[in-house]
């Protein structure tokens, strides 16, 4: 028993020793961990010390930056104060300059007034021939005395201080200026000028050049007021109409920029890729002059035919009825009527146009005229009403609607009344309105498209450019608009945009196939999606579905050609719908002549940059539509045109120098 108990004790003791060894091993591992922790802690302390040093450095840097900021702030305040003082000085200087300009203008007006008062007793006699080129003042005075007795029928002698001729010689008929002793004597002679009516002689008051220039500007308004039977008179440089002083609108005071126009003669030829041009020139061969031009895409050559006529004021051409699917060919006339009182003006202009209009009207009712008529029609009616005639037969026997096509306007929901921002009416305007009434022609301006509110067609807020046609052509009009003024096209006029529907696709396809020019479908437009869907041929779609069902029932014997035929048919269905919905357009001709032509020799990098900037400005204005971008487009247009003009002038000057040098240099 004792031996067994001792054995158990020994076993227990061994177990305890083993447990102690295990715990000792745990203590060893703890010791290792403690040593590692100690090293980590030392590292952390070191890092904290480094961070502390870094923070101190950052604080020092921030303090330095703060000092610099305070210094900069003080300097900024000083600069701001200086700028404010400079602005104040600038304002004062500008104000002083404005006062100086005002005072200078006032002095100028006073000087003109003094000049006018000094000429108060003067009269200018024109049309009196000289006796000899070396005519003395005494001879001039005697001629004037005889003239007042014989032509003016003044019996009592009128005293004057001096009389002499002035100005450049014009066929020995230089005018005579005479200074009378009193204003009453001058008025006696001036009021006797009525005796000169119907003769070549004239009497006028003498004014300074500035006053004469102002009177010249007011003269057309004076004539127009007289024509309208208003009480109008000129007093020095002021015009009074019905007792009220007339003020010229600000926009009409601006003088148009002098720029070179494109002038041609019959020996010139305009060449431009993919375009065809025809022109009717005012002069044939002697000198280049203005005229009328027609340009169109070359793929329309077989459908547009220019018509040669004798009238120099209109260029006629016809468009084949296939183009717009119209019952008859459409006749167009591009019109340019020179302004009244110009050297090229003609009182028979509208009569000549009307005679040729009647000639074409015998064969077609689809006639359109568009161009610069130089006619100001105001809001005058261009159609006949019941009270427009006093003829008993017209008013009581026949129906007035037989004389006009206004019923077509009612059918198309087009208003009879036109809106025009230009209320002035001139002689050509009345002739144009009479032309419309006599021929059942209606003006588009202020009535159709985006111009229903009425928009001026020239820079001086007048309406002189028109589009007009017979009532039967109104059914084909899709859009009409007076576009924004652009100095690239004209210095005075705004472009007119007239759309008569889209060209039939088969016309383009037929013509381009004959000319070997590729035809392609126009780009996709989201608004055409419904038309594209409706134009899909459902019968062909059902046939494709039947073919697919047949192929699906027998998948083991499907041939590649069968699948290709189905895919091709689907493509044809979609392409046909796209052609009918989007329309066709022509590609570039695959020939040597269609290669991109090099720029003109004068078109250098400056022109290229200016054109690039203009296109960019147009894209921005089209996208945003802001007045800022609109102004940018105008500035870019002006800059682009100036750059081109400068380079053309420089190129021509250099070319002349080269030619002159070649002529002077011996060739041997």
């Amino acid at each position: 028993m004792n031996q067994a108990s001792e054995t158990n004790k020994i076993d227990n003791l061994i177990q305890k020793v083993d447990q102690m060894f295990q715990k000792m091993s745990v203590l060893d591992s703890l010791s290792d961990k403690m040593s590692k922790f100690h090293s980590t802690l030392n590292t952390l302390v070191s890092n904290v010390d480094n961070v502390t040093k870094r923070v101190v450095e950052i604080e020092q840097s921030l303090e330095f930056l703060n000092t610099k900021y305070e210094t900069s702030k003080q300097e900024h305040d000083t600069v701001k104060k200086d700028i404010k003082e400079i602005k104040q000085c600038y304002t004062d200087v500008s104000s002083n300059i404005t006062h100086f300009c005002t005072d200078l203008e006032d002095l100028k007006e006073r000087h003109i007034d003094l000049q006018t008062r000094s000429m108060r007793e003067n009269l200018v006699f024109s049309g009196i021939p000289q006796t000899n080129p070396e005519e003395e003042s005494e001879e001039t005075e005697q001629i004037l005395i005889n003239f007042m007795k014989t032509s003016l029928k003044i019996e009592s002698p009128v005293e004057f201080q001096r009389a002499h001729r002035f100005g450049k010689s014009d066929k020995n008929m230089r005018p005579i200026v005479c200074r009378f002793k009193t204003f009453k004597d001058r008025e006696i002679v001036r009021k006797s000028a009525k005796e000169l009516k119907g003769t070549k002689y004239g009497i006028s008051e003498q004014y300074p050049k500035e006053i004469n220039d102002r009177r010249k500007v007011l003269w057309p308004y004076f004539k127009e007021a007289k024509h309208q039977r208003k009480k109008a008179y000129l007093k020095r440089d002021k015009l009074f109409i019905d007792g009220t002083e007339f003020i010229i609108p600000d926009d009409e005071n601006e003088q148009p920029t002098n720029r070179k126009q494109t002038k041609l003669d019959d020996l010139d030829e305009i060449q431009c890729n993919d375009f065809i041009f025809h022109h009717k020139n005012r002069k044939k061969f002697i000198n280049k002059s203005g005229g009328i031009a027609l340009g169109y895409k070359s793929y329309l050559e077989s459908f547009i035919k220019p018509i040669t006529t004798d009238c120099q004021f209109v260029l006629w051409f016809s468009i084949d009825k296939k183009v717009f699917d119209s019952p008859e060919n459409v006749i167009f006339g591009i019109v340019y009527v020179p302004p009244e009182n110009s050297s090229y003006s003609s009182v028979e202009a509208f009569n000549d146009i009307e005679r040729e209009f009647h000639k074409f009207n015998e064969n077609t009712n689809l006639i359109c005229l568009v161009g610069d008529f130089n006619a100001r029609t105001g809001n005058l009616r261009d159609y006949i009403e019941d009270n427009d005639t006093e003829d008993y037969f017209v008013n009581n026997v026949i129906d007035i609607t037989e004389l006009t096509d206004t019923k077509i306007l009612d059918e198309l929901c087009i208003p009879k009344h036109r809106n025009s921002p230009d209320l002035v009416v001139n002689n050509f305007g009345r002739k144009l309105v009479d032309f419309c009434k006599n021929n059942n022609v209606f003006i588009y301006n202020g009535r159709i498209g985006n111009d229903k509110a009425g928009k001026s067609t020239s820079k001086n807020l007048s309406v002189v450019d028109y589009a007009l046609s017979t009532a039967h052509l109104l059914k084909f009009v899709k859009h009409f608009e007076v576009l924004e003024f652009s100095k690239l096209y004209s210095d005075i006029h705004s472009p007119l945009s007239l759309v008569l529907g889209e060209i039939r696709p088969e016309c383009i396809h037929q013509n381009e196939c004959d000319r070997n020019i590729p035809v392609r479908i126009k780009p996709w437009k989201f608004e055409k999606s419904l038309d594209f869907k409706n134009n899909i041929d459902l019968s062909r779609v059902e046939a494709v579905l039947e073919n697919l069902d047949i192929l699906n029932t027998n998948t083991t014997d499907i041939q590649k050609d069968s699948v290709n035929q189905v895919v091709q048919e689907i493509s044809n269905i979609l392409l046909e719908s796209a052609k009918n919905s989007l329309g066709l357009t022509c590609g570039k001709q695959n020939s040597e002549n269609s290669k991109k032509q090099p720029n003109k020799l004068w078109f250098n990098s400056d022109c290229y940059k200016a054109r690039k900037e203009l296109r960019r400005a147009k894209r921005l204005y089209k996208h945003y539509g802001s007045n800022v971008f609109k102004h940018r487009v105008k500035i870019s247009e002006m800059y682009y045109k100036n750059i081109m003009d400068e380079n053309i002038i420089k190129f021509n000057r250099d070319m002349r120098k080269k030619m002159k040098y070649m002529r002077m240099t011996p060739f041997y």
Side-chain angles (χ1 to χ4, degrees):
M1 288 293 291
N2 292 331
Q3 188 176 0
S5 61
E6 289 179 358
T7 302
N8 290 332
K9 288 180 180 180
I10 292 172
D11 292 336
N12 291 332
L13 183 60
I14 291 172
Q15 290 178 358
K16 289 181 179 180
V17 171
D18 291 336
Q19 291 177 358
M20 290 177 65
F21 277 114
Q22 290 177 358
K23 291 181 179 180
M24 288 296 292
S25 62
V26 172
L27 289 174
D28 291 338
S29 63
L30 287 175
S31 177
D32 294 337
K33 290 181 179 179
M34 287 297 294
S35 60
K36 290 181 180 179
F37 176 76
H38 182 70
S39 63
T40 303
L41 184 61
N42 291 334
T43 304
L44 182 60
V45 170
S46 176
N47 291 337
V48 169
D49 292 338
N50 293 333
V51 170
T52 303
K53 292 179 181 180
R54 186 63 178 166
V55 168
V56 172
E57 293 176 356
I58 292 174
E59 288 178 350
Q60 292 176 354
S61 300
L62 288 175
E63 185 177 356
F64 175 77
L65 291 175
N66 188 33
T67 304
K68 288 293 184 182
Y69 171 75
E70 292 296 332
T71 305
S72 300
K73 185 178 180 181
Q74 292 177 359
E75 293 177 354
H76 175 266
D77 293 338
T78 305
V79 172
K80 189 176 181 181
K81 184 178 179 181
D82 293 340
I83 292 175
K84 187 176 181 180
E85 293 176 356
I86 292 173
K87 285 184 177 180
Q88 184 63 36
C89 293
Y90 172 77
T91 304
D92 296 339
V93 171
S94 299
S95 177
N96 292 334
I97 291 176
T98 303
H99 290 314
F100 289 150
C101 292
T102 304
D103 295 340
L104 182 62
E105 191 68 26
D106 183 57
L107 288 174
K108 183 179 178 181
E109 290 297 325
R110 290 185 181 184
H111 176 68
I112 294 173
D113 182 66
L114 289 175
Q115 279 186 302
T116 306
R117 292 178 183 274
S118 67
M119 297 177 179
R120 191 166 178 262
E121 287 79 20
N122 295 4
L123 284 179
V124 177
F125 297 81
S126 58
I128 302 176
Q130 292 180 243
T131 56
N132 59 76
E134 303 296 333
E135 184 179 283
E136 299 293 337
S137 298
E138 292 78 6
E139 296 176 342
T140 304
E141 291 175 359
Q142 189 59 43
I143 291 173
L144 193 58
I145 292 172
N146 296 334
F147 175 79
M148 287 189 287
K149 286 182 179 180
T150 57
S151 299
L152 297 180
K153 299 178 182 179
I154 299 176
E155 300 297 335
S156 59
V158 179
E159 296 183 356
F160 54 86
Q161 294 179 354
R162 188 170 182 269
H164 65 89
R165 294 186 183 270
F166 69 100
K168 295 182 179 180
S169 177
D170 184 14
K171 298 181 181 179
N172 294 327
M173 294 182 65
R174 291 196 301 161
I176 299 174
V177 58
C178 177
R179 183 174 183 82
F180 294 87
K181 284 190 174 182
T182 63
F183 180 74
K184 291 183 179 180
D185 292 338
R186 194 208 78 161
E187 285 298 289
I188 292 174
V189 177
R190 188 183 68 83
K191 291 179 180 179
S192 300
K194 59 185 179 181
E195 302 292 339
L196 303 178
K197 188 175 181 180
T199 66
K200 63 179 180 179
Y201 306 113
I203 298 177
S204 61
E205 300 174 84
Q206 188 183 26
Y207 291 107
K209 181 180 181 300
E210 293 81 1
I211 300 295
N212 285 329
D213 292 340
R214 297 172 189 175
R215 289 170 67 91
K216 286 179 182 178
V217 174
L218 293 171
W219 185 250
Y221 300 97
F222 172 77
K223 289 178 62 179
E224 184 62 29
K226 282 292 188 182
H227 185 80
Q228 296 178 4
R229 297 181 180 179
K230 295 181 180 180
K231 185 178 180 181
Y233 61 92
L234 282 167
K235 187 175 181 180
R236 281 182 56 174
D237 58 345
K238 296 180 180 179
L239 172 62
F240 293 88
I241 300 177
D242 291 337
T244 305
E245 183 180 355
F246 175 78
I247 305 298
I248 300 177
D250 293 336
D251 292 332
E252 297 196 13
N253 286 326
E254 297 182 7
Q255 297 297 327
T257 307
N258 291 325
R259 294 191 174 275
K260 290 186 177 180
Q261 299 178 348
T262 303
K263 297 183 178 181
L264 306 171
D265 58 32
D266 286 356
L267 297 178
D268 289 319
E269 182 179 354
I270 303 176
Q271 294 182 351
C272 183
N273 290 339
D274 299 328
F275 280 91
I276 298 174
F277 287 92
H278 300 274
H279 44 87
K280 177 178 283 190
N281 301 308
R282 186 183 293 134
K283 294 184 179 180
K284 301 299 181 182
F285 314 109
I286 301 175
N287 293 316
K288 295 182 185 295
S289 183
I292 308 171
L294 164 68
Y296 52 88
K297 288 276 191 169
S298 55
Y299 69 84
L300 295 172
E301 182 178 5
S302 60
F303 300 103
I304 297 179
K305 302 297 181 184
I307 304 173
T308 304
T309 59
D310 296 330
C311 181
Q312 62 175 338
F313 305 108
V314 58
L315 172 59
W316 298 97
F317 65 95
S318 67
I319 299 181
D320 195 281
K321 59 183 179 181
K322 298 178 182 178
V323 176
F324 300 117
D325 196 16
S326 57
E328 302 167 341
N329 292 345
V330 183
I331 304 296
F332 279 88
I334 306 174
V335 178
Y336 174 68
V337 178
E340 295 182 82
N341 303 322
S342 68
S343 57
Y344 296 103
S345 180
S346 173
V347 294
E348 295 295 324
F350 286 90
N351 293 333
D352 294 344
I353 296 174
E354 188 169 9
R355 280 192 289 269
E356 294 191 350
F357 180 91
H358 289 163
K359 179 181 177 182
F360 293 117
N361 200 19
E362 294 176 356
N363 301 320
T364 179
N365 287 325
L366 305 178
I367 304 177
C368 178
L369 293 172
V370 60
D372 180 8
F373 291 81
N374 274 302
R376 305 178 73 173
T377 59
N379 285 323
L380 295 180
R381 293 195 310 271
D382 56 348
Y383 56 92
I384 299 176
E385 281 195 340
D386 296 344
N387 56 357
D388 282 349
T389 177
E390 298 179 357
D391 188 271
Y392 176 82
F393 179 78
V394 172
N395 290 334
N396 297 277
V397 179
I398 67 173
D399 186 2
I400 192 66
T401 57
E402 296 179 4
L403 302 177
T404 180
D405 290 331
T406 53
K407 59 181 181 296
I408 298 179
L409 297 181
D410 298 334
E411 293 173 359
L412 299 175
C413 298
I414 298 176
K416 294 181 182 179
H417 176 72
R418 293 185 299 113
N419 296 314
S420 176
D422 182 14
L423 303 180
V424 178
V425 180
N426 60 7
N427 291 330
F428 281 179
R430 296 183 183 89
K431 290 185 178 181
L432 178 59
V433 170
D434 291 340
F435 171 83
C436 294
K437 290 181 178 180
N438 296 336
N439 300 282
N440 272 333
V441 173
F442 297 92
I443 298 174
Y444 291 1
N445 300 60
R447 177 182 277 156
I448 294 176
N450 287 355
D451 197 47
K452 290 182 179 180
K455 186 178 179 181
S456 60
T457 62
S458 64
K459 190 177 178 181
N460 60 357
L461 300 181
S462 61
V463 180
V464 294
D465 306 280
Y466 297 90
L468 46 97
S469 74
T470 55
H472 297 84
L473 188 62
L474 292 173
K475 301 176 182 178
F476 299 92
V477 175
K478 300 295 183 182
H479 181 73
F480 173 75
E481 183 180 5
V482 179
L483 302 179
E484 292 291 338
F485 172 75
S486 174
K487 291 189 177 181
L488 281 178
Y489 301 113
S490 173
D491 293 325
I492 301 295
H493 301 273
S494 298
L496 302 183
S497 173
L498 175 62
V499 180
L500 295 182
E502 295 185 355
I503 301 175
R504 296 176 63 191
E506 53 267 27
C507 294
I508 299 178
H509 181 71
Q510 176 186 354
N511 198 22
E512 298 308 325
C513 289
D514 297 338
R515 293 162 49 86
N516 294 324
I517 297 178
V519 178
R520 58 182 176 83
I521 300 173
K522 290 183 178 180
W524 172 258
K525 293 182 179 180
F526 179 76
E527 55 268 21
K528 296 283 187 178
S529 56
L530 185 60
D531 295 338
F532 175 79
K533 181 179 178 181
N534 295 332
N535 287 328
I536 294 177
D537 192 345
L538 298 180
S539 60
R540 295 175 65 181
V541 173
E542 292 178 357
V544 170
L545 293 175
E546 291 178 359
N547 291 334
L548 289 174
D549 291 338
I550 294 172
L551 294 175
N552 192 28
T553 55
N554 189 9
T555 57
T556 56
D557 295 334
I558 294 178
Q559 300 294 328
K560 182 179 179 180
D561 293 339
S562 301
V563 177
N564 290 340
Q565 289 177 1
V566 173
V567 174
Q568 185 64 39
E569 181 64 16
I570 294 173
S571 299
N572 293 337
I573 293 172
L574 297 177
L575 289 174
E576 192 67 29
S577 177
K579 288 179 183 179
N580 297 330
S581 304
L582 304 175
L584 297 175
T585 184
C586 61
K588 295 184 178 180
Q589 187 174 0
N590 297 324
S591 64
E592 295 181 358
N593 296 331
S594 65
K595 294 181 180 179
K596 184 178 180 180
Q597 298 293 330
N599 289 328
K600 301 291 184 181
L601 296 177
W602 52 265
F603 198 91
N604 57 12
S605 59
D606 293 336
C607 296
Y608 175 78
K609 291 178 182 178
R611 184 180 66 181
K612 186 176 180 181
E613 172 60 26
L614 174 61
R615 291 176 176 175
R616 186 169 184 270
K618 286 184 175 180
R619 287 195 299 269
L620 291 173
Y621 176 60
K622 184 178 180 181
H623 186 269
Y624 296 103
S626 170
N627 289 331
V628 176
F629 293 107
K630 180 180 179 181
H631 179 69
R632 181 174 175 177
V633 170
K634 291 183 178 180
I635 297 298
S636 301
E637 286 176 350
M638 190 69 179
Y639 178 70
Y640 181 37
K641 189 165 187 178
N642 288 337
I643 287 292
M644 288 194 296
D645 290 344
E646 291 174 2
N647 281 279
I648 291 173
I649 293 172
K650 182 180 178 182
F651 174 78
N652 292 334
R653 183 172 60 247
D654 294 342
M655 183 60 67
R656 284 194 297 269
K657 288 182 179 179
K658 290 180 181 179
M659 297 296 291
K660 184 177 180 180
Y661 177 77
M662 291 174 62
R663 184 175 58 185
M664 296 173 61
T665 304
F667 63 88
Y668 51 85

